[in-house]
Amino acid sequence: MTAPQRVFSGVQPTGNLHLGNYLGAIVNFVKLQERFDCLYCVVDLHALTQPVSVWGGPAELSRNTREVTAAFIASGIDPKKHIVFNQSLVTGHSELAWILNCVARIGWLNRMTQFKEKAGKDRENASVGLYDYPVLMAADILVYRATHVPVGEDQKQHLELARDIAQKFNNDFGESIERHGLGSGFFPQPEPIITGPATRVMSLRDGTKKMSKSDPSDYSRINLTDDADTIAQKVRKAKTDPEPLPSEEKGLEKRPEADNLVGIYAALSGKTKQAVLQEFGGGQFSGFKNALVELCVTKLSPIAGEMKRLVGDPGHVDKILTDGSDRARAIAAETMKSVKDIVGFVRKH
Ligand code: ATP
Ligand code: MG
């Protein structure tokens, strides 16, 4: 049995959505709607894996869930043609995660760099959920038997793990899968889609660290909801080096902050970095930064305006989520029936 081609991806409702989320993930979500059936999920179960100081507590979680949904819609995701919902509304994610926990190996999880980075030095005090995050992510994808997963560069390793888990499940239960007439492999190998001009947007304060929602410094990122003055302040304060901008892309090597700002300009304007450097090369950062502020404001303010309008109507946003979850649940339920048969759980027919 070949599963249909399907896109799944998620964004956590932790803190403020930023330019990295937009350019690395959401822009691709919008594009893929033309070619695939897509599920876009606000992954609220994942938000709880971080300390409460990061996800902000119950009221913040609800607010952020609606805000991420608003960002999806404001950016051009169509919740009628595709499926937009929050993860906790479909219990199949957690249910499958348990089974996949018993398929995944501790040695595999021990290699995950996101856990190491997020847990930091105080690893003993990190939540079990943070360690197990990649298995839940595998379940998110596989419960829909999704074939394509658009993500930023930082999620590449987790996608590889999801592929390993799918493969091991198919091998471990190979005989049972065939006996139930479910073909030779039940779960597809989900393909990462890591494309576009900005698959890894870096922090404005440190060009070697990725821009993150959970970075404590708001000056490290441009949020989708920042107003023009805030964007101007953040871009002007962004770390640079004393050299003028180079005229060739090669000149950006070993200059991570310059490379990042030129990359952001290129991604937002739809130009190549080379074309941006042809325009600004040889000049000081101050002139380039002014142009970057203007570009950010032009591109982001319509999205921010629409997000504000949507967040002001939480009833409408909640309806989008519950409608989407009904359709998501129907797909997940089919997968779970087969998974239970494959594993040998006695179930109600
Ligand atoms: P957190 O710090 O809480 O993990 P985050 O900023 O990494 O937040 P996520 O919700 O984990 O945001 O990720 C949502 C999507 O955005 C993922 O596909 C991820 O790969 C992508 N993404 C996150 N940060 C960046 C970035 N700096 N550049 C490009 N893509 C990014
Ligand atoms: Mg992240």
Side-chain angles (χ1 to χ4, degrees):
M1 194 164 80
T2 26
Q5 296 219 317
R6 189 176 279 146
V7 163
F8 175 93
S9 197
V11 174
Q12 296 185 75
T14 41
N16 286 306
L17 278 175
H18 53 76
L19 209 51
N21 301 134
Y22 180 68
L23 293 172
I26 300 174
V27 166
N28 282 339
F29 295 0
V30 175
K31 272 205 199 127
L32 289 164
Q33 296 181 106
E34 292 162 22
R35 289 172 39 217
F36 296 96
D37 288 334
C38 305
L39 294 114
Y40 295 126
C41 187
V42 185
V43 288
D44 48 10
L45 299 176
H46 284 279
L48 302 190
T49 59
Q50 306 208 54
V52 68
S53 57
V54 174
W55 62 270
E60 263 307 89
L61 184 63
S62 312
R63 200 191 71 79
N64 286 330
T65 300
R66 295 187 179 110
E67 190 169 277
V68 173
T69 311
F72 284 172
I73 312 298
S75 305
I77 290 171
D78 182 341
K80 290 211 169 77
K81 287 203 186 122
H82 299 273
I83 297 179
V84 173
F85 69 108
N86 57 307
Q87 190 185 21
S88 60
L89 278 170
V90 181
T91 53
H93 293 245
S94 328
E95 213 178 352
L96 182 59
W98 182 259
I99 295 166
L100 300 183
N101 272 333
C102 302
V103 173
R105 305 290 92 181
I106 287 179
W108 298 357
L109 285 181
N110 282 344
R111 287 197 288 273
M112 296 295 114
T113 54
Q114 178 178 283
F115 174 75
K116 290 178 195 162
E117 276 161 22
K118 284 194 172 161
K121 289 200 180 78
D122 198 9
R123 201 174 288 186
E124 292 287 306
N125 201 29
S127 75
V128 177
L130 185 65
Y131 184 73
D132 201 30
Y133 179 114
V135 179
L136 178 58
M137 177 165 156
D140 298 336
I141 298 163
L142 298 175
V143 82
Y144 302 104
R145 299 210 281 161
T147 49
H148 295 81
V149 185
V151 280
E153 166 72 34
D154 63 305
Q155 291 300 322
K156 187 164 182 256
Q157 195 185 32
H158 288 167
L159 240 304
E160 280 159 9
L161 184 88
R163 292 164 65 89
D164 289 345
I165 292 174
Q167 176 92 54
K168 188 167 186 304
F169 181 94
N170 289 345
N171 289 345
D172 290 356
F173 295 101
E175 225 174 81
S176 183
I177 291 170
E178 284 211 26
R179 194 156 21 87
H180 286 92
L182 294 164
S184 51
F186 178 68
F187 287 125
Q189 285 277 287
E191 283 287 331
I193 302 185
I194 305 173
T195 49
T199 55
R200 190 173 177 82
V201 177
M202 308 310 278
S203 158
L204 300 182
R205 311 296 287 162
D206 176 352
T208 62
K209 246 172 72 183
K210 91 165 184 78
M211 191 178 278
S212 259
K213 281 196 236 99
S214 52
D215 191 315
S217 165
D218 201 49
Y219 274 90
S220 68
R221 61 182 162 259
I222 293 173
N223 302 315
L224 294 188
T225 50
D226 282 344
D227 60 23
D229 285 346
T230 313
I231 293 177
Q233 268 179 29
K234 287 179 176 177
V235 171
R236 291 201 183 108
K237 280 206 172 149
K239 188 175 166 199
T240 46
D241 55 46
E243 302 296 317
L245 276 167
S247 306
E248 297 292 328
E249 215 178 320
K250 211 167 162 17
L252 292 171
E253 278 171 20
K254 303 212 173 80
R255 295 178 67 185
E257 285 84 15
D259 188 26
N260 189 38
L261 294 182
V262 171
I264 292 174
Y265 193 100
L268 282 174
S269 61
K271 292 180 182 163
T272 60
K273 282 190 198 172
Q274 187 57 43
V276 175
L277 292 176
Q278 257 157 26
E279 202 176 331
F280 295 100
Q284 294 303 319
F285 271 102
S286 52
F288 172 67
K289 280 182 166 181
N290 287 338
L292 182 58
V293 170
E294 208 174 297
L295 180 63
C296 287
V297 173
T298 310
K299 294 288 174 182
L300 299 185
S301 62
I303 298 173
E306 183 61 6
M307 280 173 71
K308 210 168 169 188
R309 193 186 68 75
L310 286 161
V311 168
D313 188 356
H316 175 63
V317 173
D318 292 8
K319 189 157 180 339
I320 289 173
L321 293 172
T322 51
D323 279 358
S325 75
D326 288 342
R327 285 177 283 141
R329 197 176 299 111
I331 304 170
E334 282 306 306
T335 307
M336 287 315 296
K337 272 190 209 160
S338 301
V339 166
K340 286 176 184 175
D341 289 343
I342 291 167
V343 171
F345 290 151
V346 175
R347 70 172 175 91
K348 195 175 163 198
H349 280 269

